[in-house]
Amino acid sequence: VLKPSELAPISAVKMAEILLEAGLPPGFLNIVNGSGEETGQYLLEDERIAMYTFTGSAGVGKHIKSSTGIRKVSLELGNNSPNIVHKDAPDIEKAIRLCVTRGFANNGQACISVQRIYVHRDIYHDFIEGAVSIASQLKVGNPELEDTLLGPMISEKAAMRAEEWIQEAVQQGARVAFGGVREGALLHPTILTEVTPDMKVVCQEVFAPVICIVPYDEVEEAMDAANHSSYGLQAGFFTSSLQLALKAAQRLEFGGVIINDASSYRADIMPYGGVKDSGIGKEGPYYAVQEMTEERIVVIDMG
C-alpha cells in the first residue's frame, strides 16, 4: 500500500501504471491518495498492516512511531546536512561546485541536500566568491525548458516559509551573499553568510535552495558544529588526509559520512538511513529486505 504526499500524487500513480504495464500482477501495489492527517491516520489504525515505512518530517515520524505499537517502523526523516571543506581538500574548486550545485538541486527539496557548509578560514573568502559565481550562472525559471536548473518549489506556501526564514536570519545579523528573491513559488538560489547556530536556516531543515557558509579555524570546531543538531542523516567531508577522513567518520554523528563528495551523494545499493531525529532503519534493496524480514528459527529433532 503506497500513500503518496497529497502535494505530489501524480508520480506515484504513473509509477503504478508503468509497473502494471511491465507485468506486475493487479492488486500487488495499491495506491491510496488523501491527506496525511486523515488517510494516513486511517492507515495507521489498520491492524492488518505489519510494517510502516515513511519519508517526511520528524514530527510526523514521531507520531507514526508512537501510534504503531510493536509493529515495525522504518523512518527516513529530516536533516540539515553539514559539509566540511578543510583547507587541504584535494580540489577546492570541485568542492565548491559540488556543495553549491547539490544545495540547489531539486530546489533543495531533498533530505540530504547541502545546507550547512563549514569552510576553513584560509579558503573561506575564495569559497564564497566561487559559490556566488556558480550560483549566478544557474538558470532559474520555467522547468519545461531544458536549460532551466531551478524551477518552482512544491508550493508557494513552501517558498514563502523559506523566504520568511531568510528574512528572519537577516534581521538577526546574517548577510545575503546571493539571491534571497522570491517570485511566487519560485525561490531564487540563496547563499547566506555570517549566520549563527540558532538561526532557523542553520538549526532546522530549510528544505529549499538555501545554503549557509560558515568559517572555522580548527577542524574539531567544525565537527562539533556539524554534530550540534537534532538531525543525523548524512554529512560531507573534504580532505586529502586519510587520517583526518577516518577521524571524521568516527566523530561525525550521522548515518552516512561522505568523504570528498557532498552530503547528497547516494547510491541505491548502499545502506541509507540516519540517527537521532533523522529516523531509524535503512533503505537500499538489500537493507530494506532485512528491515522487512521477520527472522525465524526452525529446530527439527529426528531422533
Side-chain angles (χ1 to χ4, degrees):
V1 178
L2 172 61
K3 195 207 85 61
S5 166
E6 59 268 30
L7 297 177
I10 297 176
S11 57
V13 173
K14 290 295 182 183
M15 180 185 71
E17 291 175 353
I18 292 169
L19 289 171
L20 282 173
E21 185 179 342
L24 188 73
F28 195 88
L29 173 64
N30 302 280
I31 308 293
V32 179
N33 281 303
S35 71
E37 187 175 345
E38 295 183 4
T39 307
Q41 186 61 37
Y42 175 82
L43 292 171
L44 281 178
E45 295 170 2
D46 193 324
E47 294 294 333
R48 295 173 296 174
I49 298 175
M51 179 179 178
Y52 295 87
T53 69
F54 172 75
T55 299
S57 71
V60 175
K62 290 177 181 179
H63 173 70
I64 291 172
K65 191 172 186 301
S66 66
S67 303
T68 52
I70 59 174
R71 289 178 289 176
K72 281 191 170 184
V73 174
S74 178
L75 304 173
E76 196 270 275
L77 309 176
N79 197 34
N80 53 357
S81 300
N83 289 258
I84 299 173
V85 184
H86 200 47
K87 61 182 178 180
D88 70 346
D91 188 334
I92 301 295
E93 291 185 1
K94 181 181 178 182
I96 296 172
R97 185 177 72 255
L98 285 171
C99 287
V100 173
T101 56
R102 302 285 180 80
F104 298 148
N106 300 313
N107 296 312
Q109 297 170 126
C111 297
I112 46 179
S113 289
V114 174
Q115 181 172 331
R116 299 179 286 155
I117 309 174
Y118 298 97
V119 181
H120 192 275
R121 199 174 298 276
D122 287 357
I123 58 173
Y124 175 67
H125 293 293
D126 289 340
F127 193 99
I128 294 174
E129 183 178 337
V132 170
S133 176
I134 292 171
S136 65
Q137 298 173 45
L138 301 177
K139 182 170 180 179
V140 180
N142 186 350
E144 294 184 348
L145 301 178
E146 289 187 7
D147 57 346
T148 297
L149 293 175
L150 275 89
M153 292 181 61
I154 188 68
S155 68
E156 185 172 6
K157 181 180 178 181
M160 290 174 64
R161 189 266 309 158
E163 181 187 38
E164 289 172 2
W165 285 18
I166 294 169
Q167 293 175 345
E168 181 181 288
V170 170
Q171 291 170 1
Q172 295 172 347
R175 184 178 75 87
V176 178
F178 184 84
V181 178
R182 181 181 67 83
E183 302 173 67
L186 184 66
L187 180 68
H188 285 247
T190 301
I191 300 173
L192 299 176
T193 62
E194 300 177 30
V195 295
T196 57
D198 57 340
M199 293 177 180
K200 289 178 183 176
V201 292
V202 177
C203 67
Q204 297 188 31
E205 182 181 37
V206 68
F207 216 67
V210 180
I211 59 176
C212 301
I213 304 176
V214 183
Y216 71 87
D217 295 301
E218 300 295 333
V219 71
E220 290 78 11
E221 169 193 348
M223 292 183 192
D224 289 343
N227 287 337
H228 186 66
S229 172
S230 59
Y231 296 115
L233 189 49
Q234 287 196 172
F237 192 93
F238 295 82
T239 179
S240 294
S241 167
L242 179 59
Q243 183 178 6
L244 196 54
L246 293 175
K247 183 177 182 179
Q250 278 192 320
R251 286 198 53 178
L252 291 174
E253 299 166 357
F254 293 82
V257 177
I258 313 301
I259 304 299
N260 290 330
D261 207 325
S263 57
S264 58
Y265 176 85
R266 181 181 178 186
D268 286 338
I269 60 171
M270 64 190 263
Y272 174 74
V275 297
K276 298 189 281 189
D277 281 355
S278 286
I280 54 175
K282 298 292 184 183
E283 296 179 5
Y286 174 80
Y287 305 94
V289 169
Q290 281 192 318
E291 293 285 346
M292 296 179 181
T293 299
E294 293 285 0
E295 195 173 69
R296 175 179 300 170
I297 176 68
V298 176
V299 178
I300 301 177
D301 185 346
M302 300 296 291

